[in-house]
Amino acid sequence: MNIKKAAERSGIKADNIRYYEKIGLIPHIKRTESGLRNFSEQDIKSLKFVKHMRDAGVQVEPLTRYMALVAQGNPETKGERIAILEAQVEQLRCEIEEKQSALDYLTYKIEHYDEVMTPSETALLTEDKR
């Protein structure tokens, strides 16, 4: 199947698929005699897996390492694969905390608009007119 169909089936844009292949996140896709990518069902499974991992917040670089370890098929790399995922979980937790803090900050500003935002807005307008 061609890249357009693979993009539809996997939910990953064609440009991203090309990029993922270029950086080694997914294995090289077999080509037709004319040089076009010819995706197999296994390739689609890999793409869907990568999409799920990216949707879960796993960054490209560690995911590339993870996928390389998976491709080796060596059960002895299980600890390293788990460590990669644990590091991504910790990073995601930090990002969630940062987002929660930003959400709390904006919520406070909205709930106390007259006391907090109106004076700030007035100060911005006053400074611009000097």
Side-chain angles (χ1 to χ4, degrees), residues 95-107:
E95 291 173 14
I96 289 169
E97 287 175 11
E98 289 174 3
K99 294 289 186 188
Q100 185 62 54
S101 178
L103 178 61
D104 293 345
Y105 179 77
L106 288 174
T107 300

Side-chain angles (χ1 to χ4, degrees), residues 50-110:
V50 165
K51 180 172 183 354
H52 290 303
M53 295 296 275
R54 293 286 295 133
D55 289 348
V58 179
Q59 301 297 312
V60 170
E61 187 176 310
L63 183 54
T64 301
R65 175 69 182 140
Y66 178 89
M67 293 297 285
L69 292 169
V70 169
Q72 290 175 9
N74 182 352
E76 293 181 17
T77 65
K78 176 184 172 183
E80 188 174 352
R81 294 190 313 259
I82 290 172
I84 290 169
L85 297 178
E86 288 174 339
Q88 291 301 289
V89 166
E90 185 56 34
Q91 181 175 340
L92 188 55
R93 280 189 180 125
C94 290
E95 291 173 14
I96 289 169
E97 287 175 11
E98 289 174 3
K99 294 289 186 188
Q100 185 62 54
S101 178
L103 178 61
D104 293 345
Y105 179 77
L106 288 174
T107 300
Y108 175 84
K109 296 281 190 182
I110 292 167

